[in-house]
Short mmCIF file of all heavy atoms in Angstrom, two decimals:
data_model
loop_
_atom_site.label_atom_id
_atom_site.label_comp_id
_atom_site.label_asym_id
_atom_site.label_seq_id
_atom_site.Cartn_x
_atom_site.Cartn_y
_atom_site.Cartn_z
N THR J 165 -0.42 -20.11 -13.55
CA THR J 165 -1.18 -20.69 -12.42
C THR J 165 -2.45 -21.40 -12.90
O THR J 165 -3.03 -22.17 -12.15
CB THR J 165 -1.52 -19.61 -11.37
OG1 THR J 165 -2.12 -18.50 -12.04
CG2 THR J 165 -0.29 -19.16 -10.62
N GLU J 166 -2.87 -21.12 -14.12
CA GLU J 166 -3.96 -21.90 -14.75
C GLU J 166 -3.45 -23.29 -15.10
O GLU J 166 -4.18 -24.28 -15.04
CB GLU J 166 -4.42 -21.23 -16.05
CG GLU J 166 -5.17 -19.93 -15.87
CD GLU J 166 -6.65 -20.18 -15.64
OE1 GLU J 166 -7.24 -20.92 -16.44
OE2 GLU J 166 -7.18 -19.66 -14.64
N LYS J 167 -2.18 -23.32 -15.51
CA LYS J 167 -1.59 -24.52 -16.10
C LYS J 167 -0.95 -25.45 -15.08
O LYS J 167 -0.89 -26.64 -15.29
CB LYS J 167 -0.50 -24.03 -17.06
CG LYS J 167 -0.46 -24.71 -18.40
CD LYS J 167 0.53 -24.01 -19.33
CE LYS J 167 1.30 -25.05 -20.08
NZ LYS J 167 2.39 -24.48 -20.84
N HIS J 168 -0.44 -24.87 -13.99
CA HIS J 168 0.34 -25.65 -13.01
C HIS J 168 -0.31 -25.55 -11.63
O HIS J 168 -1.04 -24.60 -11.35
CB HIS J 168 1.78 -25.12 -12.96
CG HIS J 168 2.49 -25.20 -14.28
ND1 HIS J 168 3.08 -26.35 -14.74
CD2 HIS J 168 2.66 -24.28 -15.27
CE1 HIS J 168 3.61 -26.14 -15.94
NE2 HIS J 168 3.37 -24.88 -16.29
N PRO J 169 -0.04 -26.52 -10.75
CA PRO J 169 -0.70 -26.54 -9.42
C PRO J 169 -0.07 -25.53 -8.45
O PRO J 169 0.56 -25.91 -7.47
CB PRO J 169 -0.48 -27.99 -8.96
CG PRO J 169 0.79 -28.41 -9.61
CD PRO J 169 0.88 -27.68 -10.92
N VAL J 170 -0.23 -24.27 -8.77
CA VAL J 170 0.34 -23.18 -7.97
C VAL J 170 -0.76 -22.13 -7.80
O VAL J 170 -1.45 -21.80 -8.76
CB VAL J 170 1.56 -22.55 -8.70
CG1 VAL J 170 2.16 -21.43 -7.90
CG2 VAL J 170 2.61 -23.61 -9.01
N ALA J 171 -0.93 -21.61 -6.57
CA ALA J 171 -2.02 -20.65 -6.33
C ALA J 171 -1.55 -19.23 -6.66
O ALA J 171 -0.47 -18.81 -6.24
CB ALA J 171 -2.47 -20.74 -4.87
N LEU J 172 -2.38 -18.49 -7.38
CA LEU J 172 -2.07 -17.10 -7.73
C LEU J 172 -2.48 -16.19 -6.57
O LEU J 172 -3.63 -16.23 -6.13
CB LEU J 172 -2.83 -16.71 -9.00
CG LEU J 172 -2.59 -15.31 -9.54
CD1 LEU J 172 -1.15 -15.14 -10.02
CD2 LEU J 172 -3.55 -14.99 -10.70
N VAL J 173 -1.56 -15.37 -6.07
CA VAL J 173 -1.88 -14.52 -4.92
C VAL J 173 -1.80 -13.02 -5.25
O VAL J 173 -1.61 -12.20 -4.37
CB VAL J 173 -1.03 -14.86 -3.67
CG1 VAL J 173 -1.37 -16.26 -3.16
CG2 VAL J 173 0.47 -14.74 -3.96
N ASN J 174 -1.95 -12.69 -6.52
CA ASN J 174 -2.12 -11.26 -6.87
C ASN J 174 -3.51 -10.79 -6.45
O ASN J 174 -4.36 -11.61 -6.08
CB ASN J 174 -1.92 -11.06 -8.38
CG ASN J 174 -0.44 -10.97 -8.72
OD1 ASN J 174 0.16 -11.91 -9.24
ND2 ASN J 174 0.17 -9.84 -8.42
N SER J 175 -3.76 -9.48 -6.57
CA SER J 175 -5.04 -8.97 -6.07
C SER J 175 -6.22 -9.32 -6.98
O SER J 175 -7.36 -8.99 -6.65
CB SER J 175 -4.96 -7.46 -5.83
OG SER J 175 -4.62 -6.78 -7.02
N VAL J 176 -5.97 -10.02 -8.09
CA VAL J 176 -7.09 -10.61 -8.85
C VAL J 176 -7.70 -11.77 -8.06
O VAL J 176 -8.81 -12.21 -8.36
CB VAL J 176 -6.65 -11.08 -10.26
CG1 VAL J 176 -6.28 -9.91 -11.14
CG2 VAL J 176 -5.49 -12.06 -10.18
N ASN J 177 -7.00 -12.24 -7.05
CA ASN J 177 -7.51 -13.25 -6.12
C ASN J 177 -8.42 -12.53 -5.11
O ASN J 177 -7.96 -11.66 -4.36
CB ASN J 177 -6.30 -13.90 -5.44
CG ASN J 177 -6.68 -14.92 -4.38
OD1 ASN J 177 -7.76 -14.83 -3.80
ND2 ASN J 177 -5.79 -15.86 -4.14
N PRO J 178 -9.72 -12.85 -5.07
CA PRO J 178 -10.66 -12.10 -4.22
C PRO J 178 -10.32 -12.16 -2.72
O PRO J 178 -10.73 -11.28 -1.96
CB PRO J 178 -12.02 -12.75 -4.49
CG PRO J 178 -11.76 -13.96 -5.30
CD PRO J 178 -10.39 -13.90 -5.88
N ASN J 179 -9.56 -13.17 -2.31
CA ASN J 179 -9.17 -13.24 -0.89
C ASN J 179 -8.22 -12.11 -0.50
O ASN J 179 -8.19 -11.68 0.65
CB ASN J 179 -8.54 -14.60 -0.58
CG ASN J 179 -9.53 -15.72 -0.79
OD1 ASN J 179 -10.67 -15.63 -0.33
ND2 ASN J 179 -9.12 -16.76 -1.50
N ARG J 180 -7.43 -11.64 -1.47
CA ARG J 180 -6.57 -10.47 -1.23
C ARG J 180 -7.43 -9.23 -0.95
O ARG J 180 -7.20 -8.49 0.01
CB ARG J 180 -5.68 -10.22 -2.45
CG ARG J 180 -4.45 -11.13 -2.60
CD ARG J 180 -3.27 -10.58 -1.78
NE ARG J 180 -3.06 -9.16 -1.99
CZ ARG J 180 -2.39 -8.61 -3.01
NH1 ARG J 180 -1.82 -9.37 -3.91
NH2 ARG J 180 -2.26 -7.30 -3.11
N ILE J 181 -8.44 -9.03 -1.77
CA ILE J 181 -9.31 -7.85 -1.62
C ILE J 181 -10.05 -7.94 -0.27
O ILE J 181 -10.17 -6.94 0.45
CB ILE J 181 -10.34 -7.78 -2.78
CG1 ILE J 181 -9.60 -7.76 -4.14
CG2 ILE J 181 -11.28 -6.60 -2.63
CD1 ILE J 181 -8.78 -6.54 -4.43
N ALA J 182 -10.51 -9.15 0.07
CA ALA J 182 -11.22 -9.33 1.35
C ALA J 182 -10.33 -8.93 2.52
O ALA J 182 -10.77 -8.23 3.44
CB ALA J 182 -11.67 -10.78 1.48
N GLY J 183 -9.08 -9.34 2.48
CA GLY J 183 -8.18 -8.97 3.58
C GLY J 183 -7.88 -7.48 3.61
O GLY J 183 -7.85 -6.85 4.67
N GLN J 184 -7.68 -6.91 2.43
CA GLN J 184 -7.31 -5.48 2.37
C GLN J 184 -8.46 -4.56 2.77
O GLN J 184 -8.23 -3.46 3.25
CB GLN J 184 -6.79 -5.13 0.97
CG GLN J 184 -5.36 -5.64 0.77
CD GLN J 184 -4.83 -5.53 -0.65
OE1 GLN J 184 -4.06 -6.38 -1.08
NE2 GLN J 184 -5.22 -4.51 -1.39
N LYS J 185 -9.71 -5.01 2.61
CA LYS J 185 -10.84 -4.15 2.98
C LYS J 185 -10.87 -3.87 4.49
O LYS J 185 -11.52 -2.92 4.94
CB LYS J 185 -12.16 -4.77 2.51
CG LYS J 185 -12.67 -5.85 3.44
CD LYS J 185 -13.97 -6.49 3.00
CE LYS J 185 -14.31 -7.62 3.97
NZ LYS J 185 -15.39 -8.48 3.58
N THR J 186 -10.16 -4.70 5.27
CA THR J 186 -10.20 -4.51 6.73
C THR J 186 -9.63 -3.16 7.15
O THR J 186 -9.97 -2.64 8.21
CB THR J 186 -9.43 -5.63 7.46
OG1 THR J 186 -8.06 -5.64 7.02
CG2 THR J 186 -10.05 -6.99 7.21
N ALA J 187 -8.79 -2.56 6.31
CA ALA J 187 -8.22 -1.24 6.65
C ALA J 187 -9.32 -0.18 6.70
O ALA J 187 -9.27 0.74 7.53
CB ALA J 187 -7.15 -0.85 5.63
N ALA J 188 -10.33 -0.31 5.84
CA ALA J 188 -11.45 0.65 5.87
C ALA J 188 -12.20 0.53 7.19
O ALA J 188 -12.59 1.54 7.80
CB ALA J 188 -12.39 0.40 4.69
N PHE J 189 -12.37 -0.69 7.68
CA PHE J 189 -13.03 -0.90 8.98
C PHE J 189 -12.22 -0.24 10.10
O PHE J 189 -12.77 0.39 11.00
CB PHE J 189 -13.20 -2.40 9.26
CG PHE J 189 -14.36 -3.02 8.53
CD1 PHE J 189 -14.29 -3.31 7.18
CD2 PHE J 189 -15.55 -3.31 9.21
CE1 PHE J 189 -15.36 -3.89 6.50
CE2 PHE J 189 -16.63 -3.89 8.55
CZ PHE J 189 -16.53 -4.18 7.20
N GLU J 190 -10.90 -0.41 10.04
CA GLU J 190 -10.06 0.19 11.09
C GLU J 190 -10.17 1.71 11.09
O GLU J 190 -10.20 2.35 12.14
CB GLU J 190 -8.60 -0.23 10.90
CG GLU J 190 -8.34 -1.69 11.23
CD GLU J 190 -6.89 -2.09 11.01
OE1 GLU J 190 -6.01 -1.22 10.87
OE2 GLU J 190 -6.62 -3.32 10.97
N ILE J 191 -10.24 2.30 9.89
CA ILE J 191 -10.34 3.76 9.81
C ILE J 191 -11.68 4.22 10.40
O ILE J 191 -11.73 5.17 11.20
CB ILE J 191 -10.18 4.25 8.35
CG1 ILE J 191 -8.73 4.01 7.88
CG2 ILE J 191 -10.54 5.72 8.21
CD1 ILE J 191 -8.49 4.30 6.41
N CYS J 192 -12.76 3.54 10.05
CA CYS J 192 -14.08 3.92 10.58
C CYS J 192 -14.13 3.74 12.10
O CYS J 192 -14.69 4.59 12.82
CB CYS J 192 -15.19 3.10 9.93
SG CYS J 192 -15.42 3.50 8.20
N GLU J 193 -13.50 2.69 12.59
CA GLU J 193 -13.47 2.47 14.04
C GLU J 193 -12.70 3.59 14.73
O GLU J 193 -13.12 4.13 15.74
CB GLU J 193 -12.76 1.15 14.36
CG GLU J 193 -13.69 0.00 14.59
CD GLU J 193 -12.98 -1.24 15.14
OE1 GLU J 193 -11.73 -1.28 15.18
OE2 GLU J 193 -13.70 -2.17 15.51
N ALA J 194 -11.56 3.97 14.17
CA ALA J 194 -10.69 4.97 14.81
C ALA J 194 -11.32 6.36 14.77
O ALA J 194 -11.20 7.13 15.72
CB ALA J 194 -9.32 4.98 14.13
N LEU J 195 -11.98 6.70 13.65
CA LEU J 195 -12.55 8.05 13.51
C LEU J 195 -14.00 8.12 14.00
O LEU J 195 -14.55 9.21 14.10
CB LEU J 195 -12.48 8.51 12.05
CG LEU J 195 -11.10 8.68 11.41
CD1 LEU J 195 -11.24 9.07 9.94
CD2 LEU J 195 -10.28 9.73 12.16
N GLY J 196 -14.61 6.97 14.22
CA GLY J 196 -16.02 6.95 14.61
C GLY J 196 -16.95 7.10 13.41
O GLY J 196 -18.17 7.12 13.54
N ASP J 197 -16.39 7.22 12.22
CA ASP J 197 -17.16 7.32 10.98
C ASP J 197 -16.18 7.21 9.82
O ASP J 197 -14.96 7.23 10.04
CB ASP J 197 -17.90 8.68 10.91
CG ASP J 197 -19.16 8.60 10.05
OD1 ASP J 197 -19.25 7.71 9.17
OD2 ASP J 197 -20.06 9.44 10.24
N ALA J 198 -16.71 7.13 8.61
CA ALA J 198 -15.82 7.19 7.44
C ALA J 198 -15.34 8.64 7.28
O ALA J 198 -16.04 9.57 7.68
CB ALA J 198 -16.58 6.74 6.19
N PRO J 199 -14.15 8.84 6.71
CA PRO J 199 -13.71 10.20 6.40
C PRO J 199 -14.49 10.75 5.20
O PRO J 199 -15.14 9.99 4.49
CB PRO J 199 -12.23 10.02 6.06
CG PRO J 199 -12.11 8.61 5.58
CD PRO J 199 -13.18 7.82 6.28
N ASP J 200 -14.40 12.06 4.98
CA ASP J 200 -15.06 12.65 3.79
C ASP J 200 -14.31 12.29 2.52
O ASP J 200 -14.90 12.17 1.44
CB ASP J 200 -15.10 14.18 3.92
CG ASP J 200 -15.84 14.61 5.18
OD1 ASP J 200 -17.01 14.22 5.32
OD2 ASP J 200 -15.24 15.30 6.03
N ILE J 201 -12.98 12.19 2.65
CA ILE J 201 -12.12 11.93 1.48
C ILE J 201 -11.16 10.81 1.82
O ILE J 201 -10.60 10.78 2.92
CB ILE J 201 -11.29 13.20 1.14
CG1 ILE J 201 -12.22 14.34 0.73
CG2 ILE J 201 -10.24 12.92 0.07
CD1 ILE J 201 -11.53 15.68 0.71
N LEU J 202 -10.95 9.90 0.86
CA LEU J 202 -9.94 8.86 1.02
C LEU J 202 -8.95 9.03 -0.12
O LEU J 202 -9.33 8.93 -1.29
CB LEU J 202 -10.62 7.48 0.97
CG LEU J 202 -9.95 6.22 1.47
CD1 LEU J 202 -8.93 5.65 0.50
CD2 LEU J 202 -9.30 6.39 2.86
N ALA J 203 -7.70 9.35 0.21
CA ALA J 203 -6.68 9.55 -0.83
C ALA J 203 -5.78 8.33 -0.87
O ALA J 203 -5.27 7.89 0.17
CB ALA J 203 -5.86 10.80 -0.53
N ILE J 204 -5.57 7.79 -2.07
CA ILE J 204 -4.89 6.49 -2.17
C ILE J 204 -4.13 6.39 -3.50
O ILE J 204 -4.64 6.82 -4.54
CB ILE J 204 -5.96 5.36 -2.03
CG1 ILE J 204 -5.34 3.98 -1.97
CG2 ILE J 204 -7.02 5.41 -3.13
CD1 ILE J 204 -6.30 2.89 -1.49
N PRO J 205 -2.90 5.85 -3.47
CA PRO J 205 -2.21 5.62 -4.74
C PRO J 205 -2.86 4.47 -5.50
O PRO J 205 -3.37 3.53 -4.88
CB PRO J 205 -0.78 5.23 -4.32
CG PRO J 205 -0.82 4.95 -2.86
CD PRO J 205 -2.12 5.42 -2.29
N VAL J 206 -2.82 4.55 -6.82
CA VAL J 206 -3.43 3.51 -7.64
C VAL J 206 -2.38 2.93 -8.60
O VAL J 206 -1.74 3.66 -9.35
CB VAL J 206 -4.62 4.07 -8.45
CG1 VAL J 206 -5.17 3.01 -9.41
CG2 VAL J 206 -5.73 4.55 -7.52
N GLY J 207 -2.22 1.60 -8.53
CA GLY J 207 -1.32 0.90 -9.44
C GLY J 207 -2.11 -0.13 -10.22
O GLY J 207 -2.70 0.16 -11.26
N ASN J 208 -2.19 -1.33 -9.65
CA ASN J 208 -2.98 -2.39 -10.26
C ASN J 208 -4.46 -2.25 -9.88
O ASN J 208 -5.30 -3.00 -10.31
CB ASN J 208 -2.42 -3.75 -9.84
CG ASN J 208 -2.66 -4.83 -10.87
OD1 ASN J 208 -2.76 -4.55 -12.06
ND2 ASN J 208 -2.76 -6.06 -10.41
N ALA J 209 -4.74 -1.28 -8.98
CA ALA J 209 -6.10 -0.86 -8.60
C ALA J 209 -6.84 -1.83 -7.67
O ALA J 209 -8.04 -1.70 -7.46
CB ALA J 209 -6.94 -0.53 -9.82
N GLY J 210 -6.11 -2.77 -7.08
CA GLY J 210 -6.73 -3.68 -6.11
C GLY J 210 -7.08 -2.96 -4.81
O GLY J 210 -8.14 -3.20 -4.23
N ASN J 211 -6.20 -2.08 -4.37
CA ASN J 211 -6.41 -1.49 -3.05
C ASN J 211 -7.58 -0.51 -3.03
O ASN J 211 -8.38 -0.51 -2.10
CB ASN J 211 -5.12 -0.81 -2.57
CG ASN J 211 -4.94 -0.89 -1.06
OD1 ASN J 211 -5.50 -1.80 -0.40
ND2 ASN J 211 -4.20 0.03 -0.50
N ILE J 212 -7.73 0.31 -4.07
CA ILE J 212 -8.87 1.24 -4.11
C ILE J 212 -10.17 0.43 -4.17
O ILE J 212 -11.17 0.78 -3.53
CB ILE J 212 -8.74 2.26 -5.29
CG1 ILE J 212 -9.78 3.36 -5.16
CG2 ILE J 212 -8.84 1.57 -6.65
CD1 ILE J 212 -9.60 4.52 -6.13
#
Side-chain angles (χ1 to χ4, degrees):
T165 51
E166 289 274 309
K167 224 172 138 189
H168 300 278
V170 180
L172 182 66
V173 294
N174 278 104
S175 58
V176 292
N177 177 334
N179 297 314
R180 281 275 313 278
I181 303 294
Q184 283 171 214
K185 80 180 177 190
T186 59
F189 281 76
E190 289 179 14
I191 292 174
C192 292
E193 262 190 351
L195 296 177
D197 206 337
D200 302 303
I201 296 166
L202 197 282
I204 186 166
V206 175
N208 209 28
N211 213 24
I212 190 171

